Amino acid sequence: MTSSSSFSSKLLFRQLFEKESSTYTYLLADVSHPDKPALLIDPVDKTVDRDLNLINELGLKLIYAMNTHVHADHVTGTGLLKTKAPSVKSVISKASGAKADVFVEPGDKVSIGDLYLEVRATPGHTAGCVTYVTGEEADQPQPRMAFTGDAVLIRGCGRTDFQGGSSDQLYESVHSQIFTLPKDTLIYPAHDYKGFEVSTVGEELQNNPRLTKDKETFKSIMSNLNLAYPKMIDVAVPANMVCGLQDLPSAI
């Protein structure tokens, strides 16, 4: 079996959008497995019913609801998903300090059927950011896919001025953990504000107006963005630290 045919026969992939916060939620499933196990990356509370309806229509079994980091611009859908589908487990990095059923660390693998995502630590936007990357083996989707959260955006990157952010750390994270991936690796960010959906490592290495600069220039750019205080941060961050709902009963 070639890698291209394994991609088409094994992986079901959907990119979903929440327009108020311009957030992308990603659905991945192994449809070659009898249970059709699935996961969601960065679900939003306002679109949980949409996501669950799609999962049901496609005959999938949702196993994990994962976050790339503690978001400041929307409330995560993981807690609400767990109330509506109690077998689902929430996933976030241990470094985030947030509540979840499963805490991941660099090098961990999150598996659904015969597909898996590798966890890479990419702090800098927040102290607990991770990037989820599909496997390098021939039986995994090719080209590889990197779900970068707010670490790398298409022709941009996440801000670094709150939630333990650090422009120095973000630059190092991206260049060591994301830009070292094969150049045809597809980059799927947590947000886009200009209508773009996907990029590649090669594209961003060549065209990202911030991350192509040397580190000192990058740090200067990031310290002079003069961005407004995130309008949802005082609601979103406290909620997202507890899985999006106040003190959910544990699903395990």
Side-chain angles (χ1 to χ4, degrees), residues 210-221:
R210 298 177 184 175
L211 290 160
T212 52
K213 304 293 192 288
D214 65 78
K215 189 199 285 189
E216 292 308 311
T217 304
F218 175 76
K219 287 165 66 175
S220 177
I221 291 169

Side-chain angles (χ1 to χ4, degrees), residues 118-216:
E118 170 199 337
V119 179
R120 295 191 172 208
T122 48
H125 171 62
T126 75
C129 287
V130 293
T131 292
Y132 298 114
V133 185
T134 56
E136 63 183 340
E137 295 85 357
D139 67 343
Q140 298 298 302
Q142 303 295 333
R144 296 177 76 180
M145 308 161 81
F147 300 93
T148 55
D150 287 21
V152 176
L153 304 178
I154 298 171
R155 308 298 190 265
C157 64
R159 61 195 293 175
T160 57
D161 57 334
F162 61 91
Q163 283 183 279
S166 161
S167 56
D168 188 286
Q169 196 173 40
L170 180 60
Y171 190 90
E172 290 296 329
S173 294
V174 170
H175 281 268
S176 66
Q177 299 298 315
I178 298 173
F179 283 178
T180 52
L181 289 162
K183 287 186 171 57
D184 65 349
T185 301
L186 299 167
I187 287 181
Y188 288 103
H191 304 282
D192 190 84
Y193 308 98
K194 298 179 180 178
F196 294 108
E197 296 178 338
V198 62
S199 184
T200 66
V201 167
E203 273 185 57
E204 295 307 314
L205 273 168
Q206 186 170 342
N207 299 306
N208 191 296
R210 298 177 184 175
L211 290 160
T212 52
K213 304 293 192 288
D214 65 78
K215 189 199 285 189
E216 292 308 311

Side-chain angles (χ1 to χ4, degrees), residues 21-172:
S21 61
S22 298
T23 298
Y24 285 125
T25 297
Y26 298 98
L27 171 65
L28 287 78
D30 180 355
V31 292
S32 70
H33 190 278
D35 292 338
K36 296 185 178 179
L39 60 81
L40 284 170
I41 299 172
D42 289 336
V44 180
D45 62 342
K46 293 179 180 178
T47 44
V48 160
D49 287 339
R50 174 203 65 188
D51 298 348
L52 285 175
N53 286 340
L54 177 61
I55 287 164
N56 290 334
E57 286 174 355
L58 297 172
L60 310 177
K61 181 181 180 182
L62 185 63
I63 308 295
Y64 297 116
M66 308 166 62
N67 278 303
T68 53
H69 63 291
V70 174
H71 301 274
D73 55 1
H74 67 269
V75 175
T76 181
T78 53
L80 197 54
L81 280 162
K82 286 169 52 179
T83 67
K84 293 172 179 279
S87 63
V88 174
K89 287 183 165 52
S90 56
V91 180
I92 202 165
S93 73
K94 186 176 181 181
S96 71
K99 288 186 179 181
D101 298 314
V102 178
F103 298 105
V104 291
E105 298 186 79
D108 286 351
K109 293 179 179 179
V110 179
S111 297
I112 48 165
D114 294 324
L115 298 172
Y116 73 87
L117 295 174
E118 170 199 337
V119 179
R120 295 191 172 208
T122 48
H125 171 62
T126 75
C129 287
V130 293
T131 292
Y132 298 114
V133 185
T134 56
E136 63 183 340
E137 295 85 357
D139 67 343
Q140 298 298 302
Q142 303 295 333
R144 296 177 76 180
M145 308 161 81
F147 300 93
T148 55
D150 287 21
V152 176
L153 304 178
I154 298 171
R155 308 298 190 265
C157 64
R159 61 195 293 175
T160 57
D161 57 334
F162 61 91
Q163 283 183 279
S166 161
S167 56
D168 188 286
Q169 196 173 40
L170 180 60
Y171 190 90
E172 290 296 329

